[in-house]
Amino acid sequence: MHALAPYMFRCYNPNAEKEQRYSALSNINNHDLLGLLNEFIDKYKTDFVLSEETKQVFRFNEVVYDEANREIYGWFESGYYGTKTDIINIETGVVDFEKTKNNAEIIRYYVHFYIPRNVNEGMAFLHTYRGDGIKTLFMRLFSEYFKDTTRLVIQMNPLAYDKAIEKWMDAIAKEIKVTKFHGVRDLAEQAKKLGHNEQELIIKPPRNSGLGKLRDYFSKDTEQSQLVEVLKSYGEVVKTVVELGDGRKRTFQIGTSVRGAVCEILFDEEQVVFNDGMPDLNSLNILVDSIILEYNQLLYRGLDLRRA
């Protein structure tokens, strides 16, 4: 499962005047955070680098620095080594490749940084895959680089999506999906005979109707929240597809996030193109651009944060 986790950058300066202790990110002791991110990424854009501490290899790849739009986006490639495993062909069950402890399976994680000029908050959007991501590795490396350069501390904390786009909380739920559904044993066994290794339960409302508002799934004692509790025991992930009046759709994980009601935005295949199971860079950029505009309109009312 692919998802996007939004974060907020802030820089705390304990030596500044009280009202100025969070620096404008385009002027941090005469440094621009956008430029610092670009310089940091340039250090790791060629060969893979080994992190002995965490048994990871990593590098940045196909990164675009867009100074006009105040953003940087691309891939952060990472994988773990140090364990011997077998790679099997799921169609034949035969081992295709023996992975040694010196091999690493490399996953491409999408990263997108947006640093508006003259404000003290910036945005980071980090890709997660099956619950794993690169936030810890990235922050361990970048926070050290940032402190060495500015003598200050950079913060990157989760940015709750529901706080930024309240309108989606009133969007109507059009579908509920339970992935890796294992509720009805007889049905699951029949499906396996047909070659399906993973089932997905989809619940849809009657025609021209809905399944309640998104906020209903996070409110205690509603029919929707009670349904989520029941469905969680029948599958790995419960998610809902919601739609605004203008036809725009978005998919959220519900009922299982430990980081907040709506923190991760799931990749919907109607919005994001996939090639061989991995998301396409251009379609991810389009999705994130729309999310950035929503944040700008609701977090920075009255400020003219133009994007080229």
Side-chain angles (χ1 to χ4, degrees), residues 141-246:
L141 296 167
F142 181 64
S143 59
E144 181 179 336
Y145 176 83
F146 182 88
K147 189 171 184 179
D148 288 344
T149 306
T150 67
R151 304 303 174 190
L152 296 174
V153 174
I154 190 72
Q155 301 172 354
M156 192 171 82
N157 298 316
L159 180 56
Y161 199 51
D162 56 325
K163 292 180 181 178
I165 52 169
E166 178 70 13
K167 61 187 176 183
W168 283 102
M169 296 299 282
D170 288 318
I172 299 300
K174 293 296 185 179
E175 290 182 7
I176 298 174
K177 298 180 180 180
V178 185
T179 61
K180 295 197 176 178
F181 177 66
H182 52 76
V184 185
R185 183 173 298 276
D186 291 342
L187 179 61
E189 290 302 320
Q190 285 297 114
K192 286 181 181 178
K193 292 178 182 178
L194 297 175
H196 298 287
N197 294 314
E198 180 177 314
Q199 296 81 47
E200 180 176 70
L201 172 68
I202 300 177
I203 301 172
K204 293 187 177 183
R207 185 180 297 272
N208 298 324
S209 184
L211 296 167
K213 296 180 179 180
L214 180 59
R215 70 171 68 254
D216 296 331
Y217 291 84
F218 301 101
S219 301
K220 292 183 179 180
D221 301 324
T222 63
E223 292 181 358
Q224 288 82 2
S225 64
Q226 292 170 9
L227 174 63
V228 171
E229 289 302 311
V230 172
L231 293 177
K232 280 166 59 178
S233 63
Y234 287 98
E236 184 171 295
V237 175
V238 181
K239 53 188 177 180
T240 184
V241 179
V242 298
E243 182 176 348
L244 291 176
D246 58 9

Side-chain angles (χ1 to χ4, degrees), residues 120-140:
N120 60 12
E121 297 169 343
M123 302 176 200
F125 301 90
L126 304 184
H127 176 195
T128 65
Y129 176 56
R130 294 178 177 171
D132 292 327
I134 44 78
K135 192 255 184 179
T136 300
L137 175 61
F138 168 78
M139 274 304 286
R140 181 173 64 82

Side-chain angles (χ1 to χ4, degrees), residues 31-284:
H31 293 283
D32 186 341
L33 179 59
L34 186 72
L36 291 177
L37 283 165
N38 189 50
E39 292 165 10
F40 167 77
I41 289 170
D42 278 343
K43 292 180 57 180
Y44 302 109
K45 279 175 62 175
T46 52
D47 297 330
F48 280 102
V49 179
L50 270 63
S51 171
E52 291 286 352
E53 181 180 345
T54 58
K55 299 296 183 184
Q56 286 173 280
V57 294
F58 63 91
R59 73 171 179 184
F60 288 94
N61 196 13
E62 297 180 38
V63 176
V64 174
Y65 173 59
D66 185 348
E67 187 174 9
N69 279 327
R70 302 284 301 169
E71 63 188 354
I72 299 171
Y73 55 85
W75 300 112
F76 187 54
E77 301 176 339
S78 176
Y80 288 92
Y81 65 93
T83 304
K84 179 181 180 299
T85 58
D86 291 334
I87 309 298
I88 70 164
N89 185 311
I90 62 169
E91 294 181 352
T92 65
V94 176
V95 175
D96 271 358
F97 177 74
E98 293 183 357
K99 174 181 170 294
T100 73
K101 66 178 184 178
N102 291 325
N103 295 131
E105 179 189 10
I106 301 300
I107 304 295
R108 306 183 95 193
Y109 294 96
Y110 175 76
V111 295
H112 196 128
F113 305 110
Y114 171 58
I115 314 298
R117 192 179 296 278
N118 299 324
V119 297
N120 60 12
E121 297 169 343
M123 302 176 200
F125 301 90
L126 304 184
H127 176 195
T128 65
Y129 176 56
R130 294 178 177 171
D132 292 327
I134 44 78
K135 192 255 184 179
T136 300
L137 175 61
F138 168 78
M139 274 304 286
R140 181 173 64 82
L141 296 167
F142 181 64
S143 59
E144 181 179 336
Y145 176 83
F146 182 88
K147 189 171 184 179
D148 288 344
T149 306
T150 67
R151 304 303 174 190
L152 296 174
V153 174
I154 190 72
Q155 301 172 354
M156 192 171 82
N157 298 316
L159 180 56
Y161 199 51
D162 56 325
K163 292 180 181 178
I165 52 169
E166 178 70 13
K167 61 187 176 183
W168 283 102
M169 296 299 282
D170 288 318
I172 299 300
K174 293 296 185 179
E175 290 182 7
I176 298 174
K177 298 180 180 180
V178 185
T179 61
K180 295 197 176 178
F181 177 66
H182 52 76
V184 185
R185 183 173 298 276
D186 291 342
L187 179 61
E189 290 302 320
Q190 285 297 114
K192 286 181 181 178
K193 292 178 182 178
L194 297 175
H196 298 287
N197 294 314
E198 180 177 314
Q199 296 81 47
E200 180 176 70
L201 172 68
I202 300 177
I203 301 172
K204 293 187 177 183
R207 185 180 297 272
N208 298 324
S209 184
L211 296 167
K213 296 180 179 180
L214 180 59
R215 70 171 68 254
D216 296 331
Y217 291 84
F218 301 101
S219 301
K220 292 183 179 180
D221 301 324
T222 63
E223 292 181 358
Q224 288 82 2
S225 64
Q226 292 170 9
L227 174 63
V228 171
E229 289 302 311
V230 172
L231 293 177
K232 280 166 59 178
S233 63
Y234 287 98
E236 184 171 295
V237 175
V238 181
K239 53 188 177 180
T240 184
V241 179
V242 298
E243 182 176 348
L244 291 176
D246 58 9
R248 282 184 294 159
K249 293 182 180 180
R250 195 143 293 165
T251 306
F252 298 99
Q253 183 174 334
I254 56 178
T256 54
S257 175
V258 297
R259 286 171 287 181
V262 184
C263 255
E264 290 194 344
I265 307 148
L266 305 184
F267 292 173
D268 190 317
E269 292 191 9
E270 293 183 6
Q271 296 174 308
V272 177
V273 176
F274 282 81
N275 298 315
D276 294 327
M278 295 303 292
D280 170 73
L281 184 67
N282 290 331
S283 62
L284 282 174

